[in-house]
Coordinates of all heavy atoms in Angstrom, one line a residue:
M235 N 42.6 -39.7 40.1 CA 41.6 -39.9 39.1 C 40.8 -41.2 39.4 O 41.4 -42.2 39.9 CB 42.3 -40.1 37.7 CG 41.3 -40.2 36.6 SD 42.2 -40.1 35.1 CE 41.0 -40.6 34.0
K236 N 39.5 -41.2 39.1 CA 38.7 -42.3 39.4 C 38.9 -43.4 38.3 O 39.1 -43.1 37.2 CB 37.2 -41.9 39.4 CG 36.8 -40.9 40.4 CD 35.4 -40.5 40.3 CE 35.2 -39.1 40.7 NZ 33.8 -38.7 40.5
S237 N 38.7 -44.6 38.8 CA 38.8 -45.7 37.8 C 37.4 -45.9 37.2 O 36.4 -45.4 37.7 CB 39.3 -47.0 38.5 OG 38.3 -47.5 39.3
V238 N 37.4 -46.7 36.1 CA 36.1 -47.0 35.5 C 35.1 -47.8 36.4 O 33.9 -47.5 36.4 CB 36.4 -47.8 34.2 CG1 35.1 -48.2 33.5 CG2 37.2 -46.9 33.2
A239 N 35.7 -48.6 37.2 CA 34.9 -49.4 38.1 C 34.2 -48.6 39.2 O 33.2 -48.9 39.7 CB 35.7 -50.5 38.7
D240 N 34.9 -47.5 39.5 CA 34.3 -46.6 40.5 C 33.1 -45.7 39.9 O 32.2 -45.3 40.6 CB 35.4 -45.6 41.0 CG 36.4 -46.3 41.9 OD1 36.1 -47.4 42.4 OD2 37.5 -45.8 41.9
I241 N 33.2 -45.5 38.6 CA 32.2 -44.6 38.0 C 30.9 -45.4 37.6 O 29.8 -45.0 38.0 CB 32.8 -43.9 36.8 CG1 33.9 -43.0 37.2 CG2 31.7 -43.1 36.0 CD1 34.7 -42.4 36.1
I242 N 31.1 -46.5 36.9 CA 29.9 -47.3 36.5 C 29.7 -48.4 37.5 O 30.5 -49.3 37.7 CB 30.2 -47.9 35.1 CG1 30.4 -46.8 34.1 CG2 29.0 -48.8 34.7 CD1 30.9 -47.3 32.8
V243 N 28.6 -48.4 38.2 CA 28.3 -49.3 39.3 C 27.7 -50.6 38.7 O 28.2 -51.7 38.8 CB 27.3 -48.8 40.3 CG1 27.0 -49.8 41.4 CG2 27.9 -47.5 41.0
K244 N 26.6 -50.5 37.9 CA 26.0 -51.6 37.3 C 25.0 -51.2 36.2 O 24.5 -50.0 36.3 CB 25.3 -52.5 38.3 CG 24.1 -51.9 39.0 CD 23.5 -52.8 40.0 CE 22.4 -52.1 40.8 NZ 21.8 -52.9 41.8
P245 N 24.6 -52.0 35.3 CA 23.5 -51.7 34.3 C 22.2 -51.9 35.0 O 22.1 -52.8 35.9 CB 23.8 -52.7 33.2 CG 24.5 -53.8 33.8 CD 25.3 -53.3 34.9
L246 N 21.2 -51.1 34.7 CA 19.9 -51.3 35.3 C 19.0 -52.0 34.2 O 18.8 -51.6 33.1 CB 19.3 -50.0 35.6 CG 19.9 -49.2 36.8 CD1 19.3 -47.9 37.0 CD2 19.9 -50.1 38.0
I247 N 18.5 -53.2 34.6 CA 17.7 -54.0 33.7 C 16.2 -53.9 34.2 O 15.9 -54.6 35.2 CB 18.2 -55.5 33.7 CG1 19.7 -55.5 33.5 CG2 17.4 -56.3 32.7 CD1 20.1 -55.0 32.2
T248 N 15.4 -53.1 33.6 CA 14.0 -53.1 33.9 C 13.2 -53.1 32.6 O 13.8 -53.1 31.5 CB 13.6 -51.7 34.6 OG1 14.0 -50.7 33.8 CG2 14.4 -51.6 35.9
E249 N 11.9 -53.2 32.7 CA 11.1 -53.3 31.5 C 11.2 -52.0 30.7 O 11.3 -52.0 29.5 CB 9.6 -53.5 31.8 CG 9.3 -54.9 32.3 CD 7.8 -55.1 32.6 OE1 7.0 -54.4 32.0 OE2 7.5 -55.9 33.5
K250 N 11.2 -50.9 31.4 CA 11.3 -49.6 30.7 C 12.7 -49.4 30.1 O 12.8 -48.8 29.0 CB 11.1 -48.4 31.8 CG 11.0 -47.1 31.1 CD 10.6 -46.0 32.2 CE 10.4 -44.7 31.6 NZ 10.1 -43.7 32.5
S251 N 13.7 -49.8 30.8 CA 15.1 -49.7 30.2 C 15.3 -50.6 29.0 O 16.0 -50.3 28.0 CB 16.2 -49.9 31.2 OG 16.2 -51.3 31.6
M252 N 14.6 -51.7 28.9 CA 14.7 -52.7 27.8 C 13.9 -52.1 26.6 O 14.3 -52.5 25.5 CB 14.1 -54.0 28.2 CG 15.0 -54.8 29.1 SD 16.6 -55.0 28.3 CE 17.5 -56.0 29.4
D253 N 12.9 -51.3 26.8 CA 12.2 -50.7 25.6 C 13.1 -49.7 24.9 O 13.0 -49.5 23.7 CB 11.0 -49.9 26.1 CG 9.9 -50.9 26.6 OD1 10.0 -52.1 26.3 OD2 9.0 -50.5 27.4
G254 N 14.1 -49.1 25.5 CA 15.0 -48.1 24.9 C 16.1 -48.8 24.1 O 16.8 -48.1 23.4
I255 N 16.3 -50.1 24.2 CA 17.5 -50.7 23.6 C 17.3 -50.6 22.1 O 18.3 -50.5 21.3 CB 17.6 -52.1 24.1 CG1 18.1 -52.1 25.5 CG2 18.6 -52.9 23.2 CD1 18.3 -53.5 26.1
A256 N 16.1 -50.7 21.5 CA 15.9 -50.5 20.1 C 16.3 -49.2 19.6 O 16.8 -49.1 18.4 CB 14.4 -50.8 19.8
D257 N 16.3 -48.2 20.4 CA 16.7 -46.8 20.0 C 18.1 -46.5 20.5 O 18.5 -45.3 20.5 CB 15.8 -45.8 20.7 CG 14.3 -45.9 20.3 OD1 14.1 -46.4 19.1 OD2 13.4 -45.7 21.1
K258 N 18.9 -47.6 20.9 CA 20.2 -47.4 21.4 C 20.3 -46.5 22.6 O 21.2 -45.6 22.7 CB 21.2 -47.0 20.3 CG 21.4 -47.9 19.1 CD 22.4 -47.5 18.2 CE 22.6 -48.5 17.0 NZ 23.6 -48.0 16.1
R259 N 19.4 -46.7 23.5 CA 19.4 -46.0 24.8 C 19.5 -47.0 25.9 O 18.7 -47.9 26.0 CB 18.1 -45.2 24.8 CG 18.0 -44.2 26.0 CD 16.7 -43.4 25.9 NE 16.6 -42.6 27.0 CZ 16.8 -41.3 27.1 NH1 17.3 -40.7 26.0 NH2 16.7 -40.6 28.2
Y260 N 20.5 -46.8 26.7 CA 20.8 -47.7 27.8 C 20.8 -47.0 29.1 O 21.1 -45.8 29.2 CB 22.2 -48.4 27.6 CG 22.3 -49.1 26.3 CD1 22.8 -48.5 25.1 CD2 21.8 -50.4 26.2 CE1 22.9 -49.2 23.9 CE2 21.9 -51.1 24.9 CZ 22.4 -50.5 23.8 OH 22.5 -51.1 22.6
V261 N 20.6 -47.7 30.2 CA 20.5 -47.1 31.6 C 21.5 -47.8 32.5 O 21.6 -49.1 32.5 CB 19.1 -47.3 32.2 CG1 19.0 -46.6 33.5 CG2 18.0 -46.8 31.2
F262 N 22.3 -47.0 33.2 CA 23.3 -47.5 34.1 C 23.2 -46.8 35.4 O 22.8 -45.7 35.5 CB 24.7 -47.3 33.5 CG 25.1 -48.0 32.3 CD1 24.8 -47.5 31.1 CD2 25.6 -49.3 32.4 CE1 25.2 -48.2 29.9 CE2 25.9 -50.0 31.2 CZ 25.7 -49.4 30.0
E263 N 23.5 -47.6 36.5 CA 23.7 -46.9 37.8 C 25.1 -46.5 37.9 O 26.0 -47.3 37.6 CB 23.3 -47.9 38.9 CG 23.4 -47.2 40.3 CD 23.0 -48.2 41.4 OE1 22.3 -49.2 41.2 OE2 23.6 -48.0 42.5
V264 N 25.3 -45.2 38.3 CA 26.6 -44.6 38.3 C 26.9 -44.1 39.7 O 26.0 -44.0 40.6 CB 26.8 -43.5 37.3 CG1 26.7 -44.1 35.9 CG2 25.8 -42.4 37.4
A265 N 28.1 -43.7 40.0 CA 28.5 -43.1 41.3 C 27.8 -41.8 41.4 O 27.6 -41.0 40.4 CB 30.0 -42.9 41.3
I266 N 27.5 -41.4 42.7 CA 26.8 -40.2 43.0 C 27.6 -38.9 42.5 O 27.0 -38.0 42.0 CB 26.5 -40.1 44.5 CG1 25.6 -41.2 44.9 CG2 25.9 -38.8 44.9 CD1 24.1 -41.1 44.6
D267 N 28.9 -39.0 42.7 CA 29.7 -37.8 42.3 C 30.2 -37.8 40.9 O 31.0 -36.9 40.6 CB 30.8 -37.7 43.3 CG 31.7 -38.9 43.4 OD1 31.3 -40.0 42.8 OD2 32.8 -38.8 43.9
A268 N 29.8 -38.7 40.1 CA 30.3 -38.8 38.7 C 29.5 -37.8 37.9 O 28.3 -37.6 38.0 CB 30.1 -40.2 38.1
N269 N 30.3 -37.1 37.0 CA 29.6 -36.1 36.1 C 29.4 -36.8 34.7 O 29.9 -37.9 34.4 CB 30.3 -34.8 36.0 CG 31.7 -34.9 35.5 OD1 32.1 -35.8 34.7 ND2 32.6 -34.0 35.9
K270 N 28.8 -36.1 33.8 CA 28.4 -36.6 32.5 C 29.7 -36.9 31.6 O 29.7 -37.9 30.9 CB 27.5 -35.6 31.7 CG 26.2 -35.5 32.4 CD 25.3 -34.5 31.6 CE 23.9 -34.4 32.2 NZ 23.0 -33.5 31.4
I271 N 30.7 -36.1 31.7 CA 31.9 -36.3 30.9 C 32.6 -37.5 31.4 O 33.1 -38.3 30.6 CB 32.8 -35.0 31.0 CG1 32.1 -33.8 30.4 CG2 34.1 -35.3 30.3 CD1 32.7 -32.5 30.7
E272 N 32.7 -37.7 32.7 CA 33.3 -38.9 33.2 C 32.6 -40.2 32.9 O 33.2 -41.2 32.5 CB 33.4 -38.8 34.8 CG 34.4 -37.8 35.3 CD 34.4 -37.6 36.8 OE1 33.3 -38.0 37.4 OE2 35.3 -37.1 37.3
I273 N 31.3 -40.1 32.9 CA 30.4 -41.3 32.5 C 30.6 -41.6 31.0 O 30.8 -42.8 30.7 CB 28.9 -41.0 32.8 CG1 28.7 -40.8 34.3 CG2 28.0 -42.1 32.2 CD1 27.4 -40.2 34.7
K274 N 30.7 -40.6 30.2 CA 30.9 -40.9 28.8 C 32.2 -41.5 28.5 O 32.3 -42.5 27.8 CB 30.8 -39.5 28.0 CG 31.0 -39.7 26.5 CD 30.9 -38.3 25.8 CE 31.2 -38.5 24.3 NZ 31.1 -37.2 23.6
K275 N 33.3 -41.0 29.1 CA 34.6 -41.6 28.9 C 34.7 -43.0 29.5 O 35.4 -43.8 28.9 CB 35.7 -40.7 29.6 CG 35.9 -39.4 28.8 CD 36.9 -38.5 29.5 CE 37.1 -37.2 28.8 NZ 38.1 -36.3 29.5
A276 N 34.1 -43.2 30.6 CA 34.1 -44.6 31.2 C 33.4 -45.6 30.3 O 33.9 -46.7 30.1 CB 33.5 -44.5 32.6
L277 N 32.3 -45.2 29.8 CA 31.6 -46.2 28.9 C 32.3 -46.5 27.6 O 32.4 -47.6 27.1 CB 30.2 -45.6 28.6 CG 29.2 -45.8 29.8 CD1 27.9 -45.0 29.5 CD2 28.9 -47.2 30.0
E278 N 32.9 -45.4 27.1 CA 33.7 -45.6 25.8 C 35.0 -46.4 26.1 O 35.5 -47.0 25.2 CB 34.0 -44.3 25.2 CG 32.7 -43.7 24.5 CD 33.0 -42.3 23.9 OE1 34.0 -41.7 24.2 OE2 32.1 -41.8 23.2
T279 N 35.5 -46.4 27.3 CA 36.6 -47.2 27.7 C 36.2 -48.7 27.9 O 36.9 -49.6 27.4 CB 37.3 -46.7 29.0 OG1 37.6 -45.3 28.8 CG2 38.5 -47.5 29.4
V280 N 35.1 -48.9 28.6 CA 34.6 -50.3 28.8 C 34.2 -51.0 27.6 O 34.5 -52.1 27.3 CB 33.5 -50.3 29.9 CG1 32.9 -51.7 30.0 CG2 34.1 -49.8 31.2
F281 N 33.4 -50.2 26.7 CA 32.9 -50.8 25.5 C 33.5 -50.0 24.3 O 33.0 -49.0 23.9 CB 31.4 -50.6 25.4 CG 30.6 -51.3 26.6 CD1 30.1 -50.5 27.6 CD2 30.5 -52.6 26.7 CE1 29.4 -51.0 28.6 CE2 29.9 -53.2 27.8 CZ 29.3 -52.4 28.7
P282 N 34.7 -50.4 23.8 CA 35.4 -49.6 22.8 C 34.7 -49.5 21.5 O 35.1 -48.6 20.7 CB 36.8 -50.4 22.7 CG 36.6 -51.7 23.3 CD 35.4 -51.6 24.2
S283 N 33.7 -50.3 21.2 CA 33.1 -50.2 19.9 C 31.9 -49.3 19.8 O 31.2 -49.2 18.8 CB 32.5 -51.6 19.5 OG 31.6 -52.1 20.4
I284 N 31.6 -48.5 20.9 CA 30.5 -47.6 20.9 C 31.0 -46.2 20.9 O 32.1 -45.8 21.3 CB 29.6 -47.8 22.2 CG1 30.3 -47.4 23.5 CG2 29.1 -49.2 22.2 CD1 29.4 -47.4 24.7
K285 N 30.0 -45.3 20.5 CA 30.3 -43.8 20.6 C 29.0 -43.2 21.2 O 27.9 -43.4 20.8 CB 30.4 -43.2 19.2 CG 31.6 -43.7 18.4 CD 31.7 -43.1 17.1 CE 32.9 -43.6 16.3 NZ 32.9 -43.1 14.9
V286 N 29.2 -42.5 22.3 CA 28.2 -42.0 23.1 C 27.8 -40.6 22.5 O 28.6 -39.7 22.3 CB 28.6 -41.8 24.6 CG1 27.5 -41.2 25.4 CG2 28.9 -43.2 25.2
A287 N 26.5 -40.4 22.2 CA 26.0 -39.2 21.7 C 25.6 -38.2 22.8 O 25.9 -37.1 22.8 CB 24.8 -39.4 20.8
R288 N 24.8 -38.8 23.8 CA 24.3 -38.0 24.9 C 24.2 -38.8 26.2 O 23.9 -40.0 26.2 CB 22.9 -37.5 24.4 CG 22.3 -36.5 25.4 CD 21.0 -35.9 24.8 NE 20.0 -37.0 24.6 CZ 19.3 -37.0 23.5 NH1 19.4 -36.2 22.6 NH2 18.4 -38.0 23.4
V289 N 24.4 -38.1 27.3 CA 24.2 -38.7 28.6 C 23.3 -37.8 29.4 O 23.6 -36.6 29.6 CB 25.6 -38.8 29.4 CG1 25.4 -39.3 30.8 CG2 26.6 -39.6 28.6
N290 N 22.2 -38.4 29.9 CA 21.3 -37.7 30.8 C 21.4 -38.4 32.2 O 21.4 -39.6 32.2 CB 19.9 -37.7 30.3 CG 19.7 -37.0 29.0 OD1 19.9 -37.6 27.9 ND2 19.4 -35.7 29.0
T291 N 21.5 -37.6 33.3 CA 21.6 -38.2 34.6 C 20.3 -37.8 35.4 O 19.7 -36.8 35.2 CB 22.8 -37.7 35.3 OG1 22.8 -36.3 35.4 CG2 24.1 -38.1 34.6
L292 N 20.1 -38.7 36.4 CA 18.9 -38.6 37.2 C 19.3 -39.0 38.6 O 19.9 -40.1 38.8 CB 17.7 -39.4 36.7 CG 16.5 -39.5 37.6 CD1 15.8 -38.2 37.6 CD2 15.6 -40.6 37.1
R293 N 19.1 -38.2 39.6 CA 19.5 -38.6 41.0 C 18.2 -38.8 41.8 O 17.3 -37.9 41.8 CB 20.3 -37.5 41.6 CG 21.0 -37.8 42.9 CD 22.0 -36.8 43.2 NE 22.5 -37.0 44.5 CZ 23.5 -36.4 45.1 NH1 24.0 -35.4 44.5 NH2 23.9 -36.6 46.3
T294 N 18.1 -40.0 42.4 CA 16.9 -40.3 43.2 C 17.2 -40.3 44.7 O 18.3 -41.0 45.0 CB 16.3 -41.6 42.8 OG1 17.2 -42.6 43.0 CG2 15.9 -41.6 41.3
L295 N 16.4 -39.7 45.5 CA 16.6 -39.8 46.9 C 16.1 -41.1 47.5 O 15.3 -41.7 46.9 CB 15.9 -38.6 47.6 CG 16.4 -37.2 47.3 CD1 15.5 -36.2 48.0 CD2 17.8 -37.0 47.9
G296 N 16.7 -41.5 48.6 CA 16.2 -42.7 49.2 C 14.9 -42.6 49.9 O 14.5 -41.5 50.3
K297 N 14.1 -43.6 49.9 CA 12.8 -43.6 50.6 C 12.9 -43.7 52.1 O 13.8 -44.3 52.6 CB 11.9 -44.8 50.1 CG 11.6 -44.7 48.6 CD 10.7 -45.9 48.3 CE 10.3 -46.0 46.9 NZ 9.5 -47.1 46.6
M298 N 12.0 -43.1 52.8 CA 11.9 -43.2 54.2 C 11.4 -44.6 54.6 O 10.3 -44.9 54.0 CB 11.1 -42.1 54.8 CG 11.7 -40.7 54.8 SD 13.2 -40.6 55.8 CE 12.6 -40.8 57.4
K299 N 12.0 -45.3 55.4 CA 11.5 -46.6 55.9 C 11.6 -46.6 57.4 O 12.4 -46.0 58.0 CB 12.4 -47.7 55.3 CG 12.5 -47.9 53.8 CD 11.2 -48.5 53.3 CE 11.3 -48.7 51.8 NZ 10.1 -49.3 51.3
R300 N 10.7 -47.4 58.0 CA 10.7 -47.5 59.4 C 10.4 -49.0 59.8 O 9.6 -49.6 59.1 CB 9.9 -46.5 60.1 CG 8.4 -46.5 59.8 CD 7.7 -45.4 60.6 NE 7.6 -46.0 62.0 CZ 6.7 -45.5 62.8 NH1 6.0 -44.4 62.6 NH2 6.6 -46.0 64.0
Q301 N 11.0 -49.4 60.9 CA 10.7 -50.7 61.5 C 10.6 -50.5 63.0 O 11.6 -50.2 63.7 CB 11.8 -51.6 61.1 CG 11.5 -53.0 61.6 CD 12.5 -54.0 60.9 OE1 13.4 -53.6 60.2 NE2 12.3 -55.3 61.2
G302 N 9.4 -50.5 63.4 CA 9.1 -50.2 64.8 C 9.3 -48.7 65.1 O 8.8 -47.9 64.4
M303 N 10.1 -48.4 66.1 CA 10.3 -47.0 66.4 C 11.6 -46.5 65.7 O 11.9 -45.3 65.8 CB 10.5 -46.8 67.9 CG 11.6 -47.5 68.6 SD 11.6 -47.2 70.3 CE 13.3 -46.8 70.6
H304 N 12.3 -47.3 65.0 CA 13.5 -46.9 64.3 C 13.1 -46.5 62.8 O 12.4 -47.2 62.2 CB 14.5 -48.0 64.2 CG 14.9 -48.4 65.6 ND1 15.7 -47.6 66.5 CD2 14.7 -49.5 66.3 CE1 15.9 -48.3 67.6 NE2 15.2 -49.4 67.5
Q305 N 13.7 -45.4 62.3 CA 13.5 -45.1 61.0 C 14.8 -44.6 60.3 O 15.7 -44.2 61.0 CB 12.4 -44.0 60.8 CG 12.8 -42.6 61.3 CD 11.6 -41.6 61.1 OE1 10.5 -42.0 61.1 NE2 11.9 -40.4 61.0
G306 N 14.8 -44.7 59.0 CA 15.9 -44.3 58.3 C 15.6 -44.2 56.8 O 14.4 -44.3 56.4
R307 N 16.6 -44.0 56.0 CA 16.4 -43.9 54.5 C 17.1 -45.1 53.8 O 18.2 -45.6 54.3 CB 17.0 -42.6 54.0 CG 16.2 -41.4 54.3 CD 16.8 -40.3 53.5 NE 16.0 -39.1 53.6 CZ 14.9 -38.8 52.9 NH1 14.6 -39.5 51.9 NH2 14.3 -37.7 53.1
T308 N 16.6 -45.5 52.7 CA 17.3 -46.4 51.8 C 18.4 -45.5 51.1 O 18.3 -44.3 51.1 CB 16.4 -47.0 50.8 OG1 15.7 -46.1 50.0 CG2 15.3 -47.9 51.5
R309 N 19.3 -46.2 50.4 CA 20.4 -45.5 49.8 C 19.9 -44.7 48.6 O 18.9 -45.1 47.9 CB 21.5 -46.4 49.5 CG 21.2 -47.4 48.4 CD 22.4 -48.3 48.2 NE 22.2 -49.1 47.0 CZ 22.7 -48.8 45.8 NH1 23.5 -47.7 45.7 NH2 22.5 -49.5 44.7
E310 N 20.5 -43.6 48.3 CA 20.2 -42.8 47.1 C 21.1 -43.3 45.9 O 22.2 -43.7 46.2 CB 20.3 -41.3 47.3 CG 21.5 -40.8 47.8 CD 21.5 -39.3 48.0 OE1 21.6 -38.6 47.0 OE2 21.3 -38.9 49.2
I311 N 20.5 -43.2 44.7 CA 21.3 -43.7 43.6 C 21.3 -42.6 42.5 O 20.4 -41.7 42.5 CB 20.7 -45.0 43.0 CG1 19.3 -44.8 42.5 CG2 20.8 -46.1 44.0 CD1 18.8 -46.0 41.7
K312 N 22.2 -42.7 41.5 CA 22.2 -41.9 40.4 C 22.2 -42.7 39.1 O 22.9 -43.7 39.0 CB 23.5 -41.0 40.4 CG 23.6 -40.0 39.3 CD 24.8 -39.1 39.5 CE 24.8 -37.9 38.6 NZ 25.9 -37.0 38.8
K313 N 21.2 -42.4 38.2 CA 21.1 -43.2 37.0 C 21.6 -42.3 35.9 O 21.6 -41.1 35.9 CB 19.6 -43.5 36.7 CG 19.0 -44.3 37.7 CD 17.5 -44.5 37.3 CE 16.7 -45.2 38.4 NZ 15.3 -45.3 38.0
A314 N 22.2 -43.0 34.9 CA 22.7 -42.4 33.7 C 21.9 -43.0 32.5 O 22.0 -44.2 32.3 CB 24.2 -42.5 33.5
Y315 N 21.2 -42.2 31.7 CA 20.5 -42.6 30.5 C 21.5 -42.3 29.4 O 21.7 -41.1 29.1 CB 19.2 -41.9 30.3 CG 18.1 -42.4 31.3 CD1 18.0 -41.8 32.6 CD2 17.3 -43.4 31.0 CE1 17.1 -42.2 33.5 CE2 16.3 -43.8 31.9 CZ 16.2 -43.2 33.2 OH 15.3 -43.6 34.1
V316 N 22.0 -43.3 28.7 CA 23.1 -43.1 27.7 C 22.5 -43.4 26.3 O 21.9 -44.4 26.1 CB 24.3 -44.0 28.0 CG1 25.3 -43.9 26.9 CG2 24.8 -43.7 29.3
T317 N 22.6 -42.4 25.4 CA 22.1 -42.6 24.0 C 23.4 -42.7 23.1 O 24.3 -41.8 23.2 CB 21.3 -41.4 23.6 OG1 20.2 -41.2 24.5 CG2 20.7 -41.6 22.2
L318 N 23.4 -43.7 22.3 CA 24.5 -43.9 21.4 C 24.2 -43.2 20.0 O 23.1 -42.9 19.7 CB 24.8 -45.4 21.1 CG 25.0 -46.2 22.4 CD1 25.3 -47.6 21.9 CD2 26.1 -45.7 23.2
T319 N 25.3 -42.9 19.3 CA 25.1 -42.3 18.0 C 24.5 -43.3 17.0 O 24.5 -44.5 17.3 CB 26.5 -41.8 17.4 OG1 27.4 -42.9 17.3 CG2 27.1 -40.7 18.3
E320 N 24.0 -42.8 15.9 CA 23.4 -43.7 14.9 C 24.4 -44.7 14.3 O 24.0 -45.9 14.0 CB 22.8 -42.9 13.8 CG 21.6 -42.1 14.2 CD 20.4 -43.0 14.6 OE1 20.2 -44.0 14.0 OE2 19.7 -42.6 15.6
D321 N 25.6 -44.3 14.0 CA 26.6 -45.2 13.4 C 27.3 -46.1 14.4 O 28.1 -46.9 14.0 CB 27.6 -44.4 12.6 CG 28.4 -43.4 13.4 OD1 27.8 -43.0 14.5 OD2 29.4 -43.0 13.0
S322 N 27.0 -46.0 15.7 CA 27.6 -46.8 16.7 C 27.0 -48.2 16.8 O 25.9 -48.4 16.4 CB 27.4 -46.1 18.1 OG 27.9 -46.9 19.1
K323 N 27.9 -49.1 17.1 CA 27.4 -50.5 17.3 C 26.7 -50.6 18.6 O 27.0 -49.9 19.6 CB 28.6 -51.5 17.3 CG 29.3 -51.6 16.0 CD 30.4 -52.6 16.1 CE 31.1 -52.7 14.8 NZ 32.3 -53.6 14.8
P324 N 25.7 -51.5 18.7 CA 25.0 -51.7 20.0 C 25.9 -52.4 21.0 O 26.9 -53.0 20.7 CB 23.8 -52.6 19.7 CG 24.1 -53.2 18.4 CD 25.1 -52.3 17.7
I325 N 25.6 -52.3 22.3 CA 26.4 -52.9 23.4 C 26.0 -54.4 23.4 O 24.9 -54.8 23.5 CB 26.1 -52.3 24.7 CG1 26.5 -50.8 24.7 CG2 26.9 -53.0 25.8 CD1 26.2 -50.0 25.9
E326 N 27.0 -55.3 23.3 CA 26.8 -56.7 23.2 C 26.2 -57.3 24.5 O 25.5 -58.3 24.4 CB 28.1 -57.4 22.9 CG 28.8 -57.1 21.6 CD 29.7 -55.9 21.7 OE1 30.1 -55.5 22.8 OE2 30.0 -55.3 20.6
F327 N 26.5 -56.7 25.6 CA 26.0 -57.2 26.9 C 24.5 -57.3 26.9 O 23.9 -58.2 27.5 CB 26.5 -56.3 28.0 CG 26.0 -56.6 29.4 CD1 26.6 -57.7 30.1 CD2 25.0 -55.9 30.0 CE1 26.1 -58.0 31.3 CE2 24.5 -56.3 31.2 CZ 25.1 -57.3 31.9
F328 N 23.8 -56.3 26.3 CA 22.4 -56.2 26.3 C 21.7 -57.0 25.2 O 20.5 -57.2 25.2 CB 21.9 -54.8 26.2 CG 22.2 -54.0 27.4 CD1 23.4 -53.2 27.5 CD2 21.4 -54.0 28.5 CE1 23.7 -52.4 28.6 CE2 21.8 -53.2 29.7 CZ 22.9 -52.5 29.7
E329 N 22.4 -57.5 24.2 CA 21.9 -58.1 23.0 C 21.1 -59.4 23.3 O 20.1 -59.7 22.8 CB 23.0 -58.4 22.0 CG 23.5 -57.1 21.3 CD 22.4 -56.3 20.6 OE1 21.6 -56.9 19.9 OE2 22.3 -55.1 20.9
G330 N 21.6 -60.2 24.2 CA 20.9 -61.5 24.6 C 19.7 -61.3 25.4 O 18.9 -62.3 25.6
M331 N 19.4 -60.1 25.9 CA 18.3 -59.9 26.9 C 17.0 -59.5 26.2 O 16.0 -59.5 26.8 CB 18.7 -58.9 27.9 CG 19.8 -59.3 28.8 SD 20.2 -58.1 30.0 CE 21.7 -58.7 30.6
V332 N 17.1 -59.0 24.9 CA 15.9 -58.5 24.3 C 15.1 -59.6 23.7 O 15.5 -60.6 23.3 CB 16.4 -57.5 23.1 CG1 15.2 -57.1 22.4 CG2 17.1 -56.4 23.7

């Protein structure tokens, strides 16, 4: 079984993700092979005061980059857009950033 640290890589802090905090919508970078159920359980384990209502995932391919005659791809990532229930408390980690 995967640990919580293997599933949730890091929170994504961008202007667009900060706009969703008012609606209790947060964005995390997660492991490529993690599914929605594992993501939900991992977040509720890390932040015990929240209840996850919905998890939407998005997988982005790496961009093609080249330097001279060598070319390759940047790494691909998977994002999880997490929406909390109405009666859930907000995540304290993001509270100081708004």
Side-chain angles (χ1 to χ4, degrees):
M235 184 170 170
K236 300 177 209 173
S237 70
V238 176
D240 293 334
I241 295 173
I242 301 170
V243 178
K244 63 181 178 180
L246 292 178
I247 310 297
T248 61
E249 289 182 28
K250 188 174 181 181
S251 68
M252 287 303 185
D253 291 339
I255 290 179
D257 301 326
K258 294 186 180 180
R259 187 174 175 103
Y260 302 94
V261 184
F262 293 93
E263 182 180 334
V264 295
I266 296 280
D267 58 344
N269 60 28
K270 294 180 181 184
I271 298 166
E272 291 173 340
I273 295 168
K274 179 180 177 178
K275 288 180 182 177
L277 284 170
E278 289 176 347
T279 303
V280 172
F281 305 107
S283 63
I284 67 168
K285 293 179 186 173
V286 177
R288 187 172 59 223
V289 177
N290 297 88
T291 58
L292 172 74
R293 191 168 173 177
T294 60
L295 293 175
K297 292 181 180 179
M298 288 295 294
K299 298 285 185 178
R300 54 178 286 195
Q301 186 167 3
M303 62 182 226
H304 302 289
Q305 70 180 27
R307 283 190 177 272
T308 59
R309 67 185 190 96
E310 53 182 283
I311 63 170
K312 186 174 189 177
K313 297 178 190 177
Y315 291 87
V316 178
T317 306
L318 304 182
T319 59
E320 291 295 323
D321 59 339
S322 175
K323 293 182 180 178
I325 299 176
E326 297 88 18
F327 176 79
F328 293 96
E329 288 302 311
M331 297 182 191
V332 177

